[in-house]
Amino acid sequence: MPSIKTRVAALLATVFVAATPAVAQPQVPDASYFVGRWGKVAFNDDRDLGRMITMARSFCGSIPYVIRARGGDAFEMFVADTLRDVRVVQENGRLYIVPLVNTGGVNGARELTVRDRNVFTVRYLDPGIHSRYGANVFVRCGAAQREARPARQQDGANARSAAPEQTGTIAPRQ
């Protein structure tokens, strides 16, 4: 027979699990979310995200990163150093940007984190590509970006608007 401590611990665990809300699955943004002009910066340390968002925003005026619509659910982005048609897929509750066609032996799949309607980040799944390009933060340029600018925050890792984060990861394919 289990001890009283074991029974109490099991009871508390049951109550805690029952009271914990289910984690919402991220919604797959359609291609129109990505189409437009973005400020883009590469970074390596998540603690720098707040500073990197500000820096990416500053690139909107001088060298914006332009994402164009393609047919259907596709849009155009650079994958490594090559402009490719890509789309968003959801797998195991996580979001990815993947090329429509894998050419040149580089898959180029990236984990996608949609932070709000004006900010998203991507990370290459391939460790070799990731070590070369790092993670990237994209900040929407223009009037839509100014309307919903996140509040300034001290902690870079928490610099985002109040919108819920949609995030995901996938293990590199072997």
Side-chain angles (χ1 to χ4, degrees):
M1 179 167 189
S3 71
I4 191 78
K5 281 184 178 180
T6 304
R7 289 189 300 202
V8 169
L11 177 63
L12 288 175
T14 303
V15 169
F16 177 75
V17 169
T20 303
V23 176
Q25 294 296 318
Q27 291 182 316
V28 177
D30 61 23
S32 66
Y33 169 83
F34 298 96
V35 173
R37 295 169 11 115
W38 299 83
K40 174 187 168 258
V41 173
F43 67 99
N44 290 311
D45 188 342
D46 287 338
R47 293 176 295 184
D48 285 339
L49 185 58
R51 187 170 59 88
M52 295 297 106
I53 288 172
T54 300
M55 186 180 292
R57 188 172 288 122
S58 73
F59 288 127
C60 284
S62 58
I63 50 173
Y65 184 99
V66 179
I67 299 177
R68 292 180 176 84
R70 303 302 281 170
D73 64 349
F75 50 98
E76 188 177 71
M77 288 184 81
F78 278 93
V79 176
D81 290 325
T82 306
L83 194 58
R84 301 267 171 86
D85 290 351
V86 298
R87 66 185 174 99
V88 176
V89 298
Q90 183 177 31
E91 186 176 311
N92 298 324
R94 300 184 185 274
L95 300 175
Y96 307 95
I97 294 178
V98 297
L100 294 180
V101 177
N102 183 10
T103 59
V106 175
N107 180 325
R110 291 169 280 184
E111 174 188 356
L112 168 66
T113 303
V114 176
R115 298 189 177 279
D116 63 24
R117 72 185 200 113
N118 295 314
V119 178
F120 71 92
T121 59
V122 294
R123 292 181 180 276
Y124 282 97
L125 301 179
D126 180 291
I129 298 174
H130 179 74
S131 69
R132 179 173 180 189
Y133 296 100
N136 292 263
V137 61
F138 292 78
V139 177
R140 187 179 308 279
C141 300
Q145 181 268 325
R146 287 190 295 274
E147 292 170 6
R149 180 175 284 173
R152 188 177 195 97
Q153 305 220 355
Q154 296 297 322
D155 181 7
N158 293 323
R160 63 177 186 247
S161 68
E165 182 175 285
Q166 299 174 1
T167 185
T169 57
I170 188 170
R173 296 182 191 250
Q174 307 256 340

